């Protein structure tokens, strides 16, 4: 998780200074993390948003409903994948 978090932070810090990320930029990042199953990176997105909002004084950068929906979806996807792994190890039986 630390490596993923560091990688996400580096990618964010590598945004050219001429590009000002918006809430849409961050939500797109969170969605990409969801799609790739990177829970650690997805959990860092609201932290990045809060940090940038504090630094710039721009409250429009704060996490919104879409941000948290992406996080919930990422966690749910991770849980489904983990459950599937248990099913395979137990001979394909479903968890109760």
């Amino acid at each position: 998780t630390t490596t993923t978090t560091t990688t996400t932070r580096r990618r964010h810090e590598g945004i050219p200074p001429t590009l000002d990320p918006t809430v849409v930029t961050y939500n797109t990042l969170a969605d990409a993390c969801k799609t790739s199953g990177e829970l650690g990176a997805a959990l860092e997105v609201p932290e990045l948003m809060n940090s940038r909002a504090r630094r710039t004084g721009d409250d429009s950068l704060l996490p919104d409903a879409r941000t948290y929906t992406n996080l919930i979806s990422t966690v749910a996807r991770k849980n489904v994948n983990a459950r599937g792994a248990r099913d395979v190890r137990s001979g394909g039986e479903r968890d109760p």
Side-chain angles (χ1 to χ4, degrees):
T1 301
T2 303
T3 303
T4 303
T5 301
T6 303
T7 302
T8 304
R9 187 175 304 277
R10 282 189 192 139
R11 285 183 188 151
H12 174 265
E13 291 171 353
I15 294 174
T18 56
L19 177 67
D20 289 325
T22 65
V23 71
V24 174
T25 309
Y26 287 109
N27 285 337
T28 301
L29 175 60
D31 189 58
C33 293
K34 175 183 76 175
T35 301
S36 64
E38 295 293 331
L39 178 59
L43 292 173
E44 186 178 351
V45 172
E47 178 186 325
L48 294 171
M49 295 172 81
N50 285 318
S51 173
R52 183 122 182 152
R54 277 193 307 272
R55 195 169 58 251
T56 63
D58 184 355
D59 287 347
S60 73
L61 295 173
L62 293 171
D64 62 5
R66 184 166 194 108
T67 309
Y68 291 110
T69 300
N70 274 327
L71 293 178
I72 291 167
S73 181
T74 304
V75 170
R77 183 177 286 199
K78 276 297 219 189
N79 286 339
V80 166
N81 289 341
R83 190 177 322 122
R86 283 195 306 271
D87 289 347
V88 170
R89 287 192 304 260
S90 67
E93 298 173 12
R94 293 181 177 253
D95 286 340

